[in-house]
Every structure is written in C-alpha cells, then in structure tokens.
Amino acid sequence: MKRQSGADGAHPRPGTAARDRAAWFLVLPALLPILILSVGPLLYGIALAFTDAQSGRTRSTQWIGTLNFQDLLHDTLFWDSFRIGLLWAFGVTVPQFLLALGLALLLNQKLRLRWLARALAIIPWAMPEVVVGIMWRLVYNPDAGILNETLRDLGLGDGRDWLTGLATALPAVILVGIWAGMPQTTVALLAGLQNTPHELHEAAALDGAGAWRRFRTVTWPAIKPIALAISALNLIWNFNSFALVYVLTSGGPGGRTRLPMLFAYEEAFRYGQFGYAAAMGCVMVAVISVILACCLVGRISAGGEQR
C-alpha cells in the first residue's frame, strides 16, 4: 500500500517544517515593529492603569488594583467627554459616509474631466490634520474669517465666533471632521463601485429597473462589505481623534469639544496622573474592541448573504 500524502493529513510532506520556519523568518521583520511599537505599549498601558503612576522621577509607583477604574466610574467629567466623543464620532462618520457615497457615485460616472475631479476630491486627505486645523481656524476667524465675511456680504448678520460659542463649537468642529475625512471614504467606495461588473447594471436596466432599484439590488450588495469596513474604521479613527480638535479648540469652550482622548491627554501630561489616564485608555480600547467585534459580525453576515 502506498503511503498517504501530507494533503490527506497522515504524514507531513518532507520539508514542511523547514518551509514554516522560513515563512516565520520572512514575516519576522514586519512582525517585530508591530510587537515593539503597538502590542508592547498597549500591554504596558494596561498594566499602568492598575498603578498610581504620576509624574516625577523620585516618586515610587504602587500597585493599587482597580482603584483607578473605581474613580473613573464616578468621574462625571470623563463621562461627559465620553458622551461628547460618541456625538463627535457618529456626527462625523454618518454624514461623512453619506456624502462620500454620493460623491463616489458621481465620480464613477463618465464625466468630462473626471480625472481632475477625482484628484481634487482627495486633496483634504493629503493634508496633515494640524494644517487642516489651522486652515479652518482662519475660516472660522470671527473678525477676518471667510465664513463671517461671506455672511456679512449676504446680509445674514455680523457673523459670530464659531469655535468659542457654547452652541456652535461642536457642530463647527464636526463640519471640519466631515470635510477632512470624506476623501478616504470616497476612494474606498469608488474602488468598490469600479469593481462591480457593468453587465449586472445592464441586465437590471433591461429588466426595467430604475436607478434606485439598480442601486439597491446591484450596487449596494457589491459595496456593502467595503461600506461596513470603512465605516467601522472611520468610527474608530474619529472616536480617537486628537490633533484636529486640539488645534481647533483644545477641548473648549467649557469642555464642549473635550473628546476622551483630549481628556486623557490632559490628565497625563498636564496633571501628571499617568495611571488614571491609562485607565481611561483601557476604557477606550474596550469601546474600540466592541466596535471591531460589531464590524466583524457585520462582515460575516454580509459574506453569508452573498453566498
């Protein structure tokens, strides 16, 4: 009787172990930076959350268990920032996706100078967040900003200080977040639209399907996995936003734009409460993990529907 091959599971093929070692050797250069720069600091931050670590070289650090988390449960300022962070994340992500979807559908059409429109659409994505924040601070400037100047020219009032008003600061910052993050969503959705077979649209049109029906039965099922993935990533990125809001308002006025990341930054580097700030980071990691789990369930459900 002939010996079964490794594909049947009886005996591994000769050289399989050597190939596995070679594969790990090739993966190691990419894996080490992830372990050193991402996994290591994450584990260190989680451990730091169970200590009373504070700034100061001569101060010893003591293990205090879950005391930071107990204090966090009763910290109304943190939970206010958490609520503001959720409002910011969903307030940016949802309009961002809807506008990006409309723009991607438009850029997918056979238009004149379409290449130029696609190039212009990704300009905000190419700009650093700090530059975007400085630029929009000039736009919102109460005295010489283009927004207030336009309102005065149209006779719609004398304008206002958008970034320091209690009622306007958060909506103004959300608008900037939508503008800055829309290009990457547009590019992802446009890639999905371009990979949708054109024959499916032609067949649906021959069957008498209108534009909305073609979108609902052909376009959306094709781009749904991409839409779920990019929306989840945008929600995570927006919830973890720091630089853009810091440059625009630094969390003001009166904490109306103080996102959780800004609150943790202040606790750590302004007040020196490293352990307490690390506990805040652990809570944010837990929230992000829940979002990723929901995204994974959505991707699995979408894959099952396609099959």
Side-chain angles (χ1 to χ4, degrees):
M1 180 182 296
K2 293 183 179 180
R3 179 180 296 176
Q4 289 182 322
S5 64
D8 296 329
H11 298 281
R13 291 180 178 179
T16 300
R19 284 197 298 270
D20 290 343
R21 286 194 297 270
W24 277 109
F25 181 77
L26 294 174
V27 171
L28 196 59
L31 190 61
L32 279 177
I34 296 175
L35 293 175
I36 296 173
L37 301 177
S38 297
V39 178
L42 175 63
L43 296 177
Y44 177 73
I46 293 174
L48 201 65
F50 295 92
T51 68
D52 63 347
Q54 297 180 12
S55 61
R57 294 183 179 179
T58 60
R59 193 185 185 285
S60 61
T61 300
Q62 303 294 329
W63 183 269
I64 59 173
T66 61
L67 185 60
N68 284 328
F69 294 95
Q70 294 175 23
D71 293 340
L72 201 59
L73 288 175
H74 302 93
D75 192 339
T76 56
L77 292 178
F78 172 73
W79 294 112
D80 285 343
S81 73
F82 198 87
R83 176 184 57 82
I84 293 171
L86 291 177
L87 287 174
W88 154 267
F90 283 98
V92 172
T93 302
V94 175
Q96 191 179 86
F97 174 78
L98 296 176
L99 293 173
L101 178 60
L103 183 58
L105 290 171
L106 179 63
L107 295 178
N108 195 43
Q109 303 299 316
K110 295 181 179 179
L111 304 174
R112 294 181 61 184
L113 299 177
R114 182 174 60 176
W115 62 271
L116 180 60
R118 290 178 177 178
L120 294 175
I122 65 173
I123 287 179
W125 192 14
M127 299 172 63
E129 285 188 325
V130 174
V131 175
V132 172
I134 294 173
M135 182 185 71
W136 277 91
R137 280 182 66 91
L138 296 175
V139 172
Y140 285 135
N141 187 280
D143 298 322
I146 188 174
L147 178 57
N148 281 342
E149 288 292 335
T150 302
L151 293 176
R152 293 188 189 103
D153 292 341
L154 295 176
L156 299 178
D158 295 331
R160 60 197 308 173
D161 197 344
W162 300 94
L163 295 177
T164 59
L166 295 177
T168 59
L170 185 59
V173 173
I174 286 176
L175 178 63
V176 179
I178 294 171
W179 181 86
M182 197 172 69
Q184 62 191 17
T185 309
T186 302
V187 170
L189 295 175
L190 182 59
L193 291 173
Q194 290 178 334
N195 288 328
T196 304
H198 187 66
E199 294 78 9
L200 296 178
H201 289 278
E202 293 178 347
L206 290 175
D207 289 339
W212 169 246
R213 186 178 175 185
R214 290 200 304 272
F215 173 80
R216 184 169 54 87
T217 58
V218 178
T219 304
W220 177 248
I223 66 172
K224 185 177 179 180
I226 298 176
L228 291 174
I230 194 64
S231 297
L233 290 175
N234 284 339
L235 194 62
I236 293 170
W237 288 329
N238 292 327
F239 186 77
N240 285 330
S241 291
F242 175 81
L244 184 63
V245 181
Y246 184 79
V247 172
L248 285 169
T249 63
S250 298
R256 294 299 177 92
T257 61
R258 186 188 289 127
L259 306 182
M261 192 64 70
L262 280 171
F263 194 91
Y265 168 81
E266 291 179 351
E267 286 294 324
F269 299 104
R270 179 175 294 181
Y271 305 115
Q273 301 294 329
F274 295 135
Y276 193 54
M280 296 179 188
C282 289
V283 173
M284 287 183 278
V285 168
V287 172
I288 292 171
S289 299
V290 171
I291 295 174
L292 287 174
C294 293
C295 175
L296 181 61
V297 171
R299 289 292 300 272
I300 294 174
S301 299
E305 291 176 0
Q306 288 182 345
R307 288 193 296 268

